């Protein structure tokens, strides 16, 4: 980041960058898929998915007119978003539904930024959203998680050259697209091993009468469709020039 005045910084953030070569698009996609498929590294990276998950609950709660009271993120990669309002109705349904589909939808939004050449803008919007979310975090681990993630994105967006920013932005987008799918399978596996009335699928069952397993299938369908669309868009837009 070379700008010194506010106007120069804004201009640089929202300027367009040249698309990276196709091999970088493919390499970052493979790296993201490997990360999602691993054990230990996935457990650490899953904290980012949890941030997006709980952020989705929080955003939809606010949009639907509910009063957001706080967000807690835990070291086991679980999280809780608390809001006040009607305990039923369409607003509550959408609030509960939003969690598992938000990571994949974040990935699709990232694709839109990348296709428009707004690589730095994608990173800065991410930092701003994390800063807004930080205001509602109510536990220490949550603060560390959000601040650490935001600091990493900020350092890359401010101190690294365009090539590094592009690699990170594509990796982040691929990761969110792929990472949205795995928690859905983990949810159903957990429901089989240790049923919990507090899971999002089971809460939706109580709110709508539709079986929790059906809601898991809906989560999976939305996330797989988002992944397929994101892969197609990124692949077809990749620059074939080495």
């Amino acid at each position: 980041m070379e700008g010194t005045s506010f106007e120069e910084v804004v201009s640089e953030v929202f300027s367009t960058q040249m698309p990276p070569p196709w091999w970088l698009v493919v390499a970052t996609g493979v790296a993201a898929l490997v990360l999602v498929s691993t054990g230990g590294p996935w457990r650490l990276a899953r904290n980012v998915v949890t941030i997006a998950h709980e952020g989705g609950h929080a955003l939809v709660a606010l949009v639907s007119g509910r009063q957001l009271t706080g967000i807690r993120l835990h070291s086991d990669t679980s999280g809780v978003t608390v809001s006040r309002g009607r305990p039923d109705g369409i607003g509550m349904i959408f609030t509960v539904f939003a969690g598992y589909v938000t990571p994949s939808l974040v990935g699709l939004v990232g694709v839109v930024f990348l296709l428009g050449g707004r690589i730095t803008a994608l990173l800065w919007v991410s930092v701003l959203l994390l800063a807004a979310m930080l205001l509602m975090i109510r536990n220490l681990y949550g603060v560390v998680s959000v601040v650490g993630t935001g600091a990493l994105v900020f350092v890359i967006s401010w101190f690294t050259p365009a090539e590094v920013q592009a690699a990170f932005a594509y990796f982040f987008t691929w990761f969110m697209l792929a990472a949205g799918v795995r928690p859905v399978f983990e949810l159903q596996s957990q429901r089989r091993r240790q049923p919990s009335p507090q899971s999002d699928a089971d809460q939706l069952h109580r709110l709508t009468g539709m079986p929790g397993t059906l809601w898991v299938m809906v989560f999976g369908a939305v996330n797989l469709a988002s992944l397929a669309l994101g892969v197609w868009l990124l692949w077809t837009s990749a620059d074939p020039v080495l």
Side-chain angles (χ1 to χ4, degrees):
M1 188 71 66
E2 298 178 355
T4 55
S5 70
F6 177 76
E7 292 78 7
E8 290 174 334
V9 170
V10 171
S11 176
E12 190 168 348
V13 166
F14 289 98
S15 64
T16 59
Q17 289 86 36
M18 293 294 294
W22 69 271
W23 62 263
L24 180 62
V25 176
V26 174
T28 52
V30 171
L33 183 61
V34 169
L35 177 57
V36 172
S37 303
T38 57
W42 161 250
R43 182 177 177 82
L44 178 62
R46 199 184 190 284
N47 285 284
V48 178
V49 180
T50 303
I51 291 172
H53 180 114
E54 299 304 328
H57 284 315
L59 178 60
V60 175
L62 290 173
V63 170
S64 63
R66 301 180 62 81
Q67 180 183 356
L68 184 63
T69 58
I71 302 170
R72 301 177 71 87
L73 306 174
H74 304 133
S75 59
D76 63 356
T77 72
S78 66
V80 178
T81 299
V82 179
S83 61
R84 294 178 181 174
R86 284 186 55 182
D88 54 15
I90 192 68
M92 187 62 183
I93 292 172
F94 276 114
T95 296
V96 177
F97 177 78
Y100 275 97
V101 301
T102 294
S104 294
L105 296 180
V106 167
L108 274 185
V109 172
V111 171
V112 173
F113 274 86
L114 296 179
L115 295 183
R118 308 287 182 174
I119 294 172
T120 304
L122 170 61
L123 300 179
W124 274 68
V125 167
S126 300
V127 171
L128 292 175
L129 289 175
L130 287 167
M133 186 174 179
L134 183 62
L135 299 176
M136 298 307 302
I137 298 295
R138 297 293 183 262
N139 68 321
L140 179 60
Y141 185 84
V143 170
V144 172
S145 249
V146 173
V147 170
T149 303
L152 173 63
V153 178
F154 174 76
V155 166
I156 290 174
S157 67
W158 189 268
F159 294 107
T160 65
E163 296 79 8
V164 175
Q165 292 183 33
F168 180 82
Y170 273 84
F171 173 78
F172 169 76
T173 300
W174 279 120
F175 173 75
M176 295 307 292
L177 286 170
V181 177
R182 180 168 174 173
V184 177
F185 288 94
E186 293 175 344
L187 169 64
Q188 185 60 15
S189 177
Q190 182 180 6
R191 292 179 71 244
R192 288 175 178 172
R193 295 194 316 270
Q194 188 177 2
S196 170
Q198 299 306 315
S199 77
D200 290 359
D202 291 289
Q203 289 185 61
L204 287 167
H205 165 60
R206 293 196 299 274
L207 288 166
T208 66
M210 295 169 57
T213 301
L214 180 59
W215 282 110
V216 174
M217 294 173 64
V218 173
F219 295 153
V222 171
N223 293 354
L224 287 171
S226 298
L227 174 60
L229 178 58
V231 168
W232 180 75
L233 289 172
L234 290 174
W235 177 257
T236 56
S237 67
D239 187 349
V241 179
L242 288 174

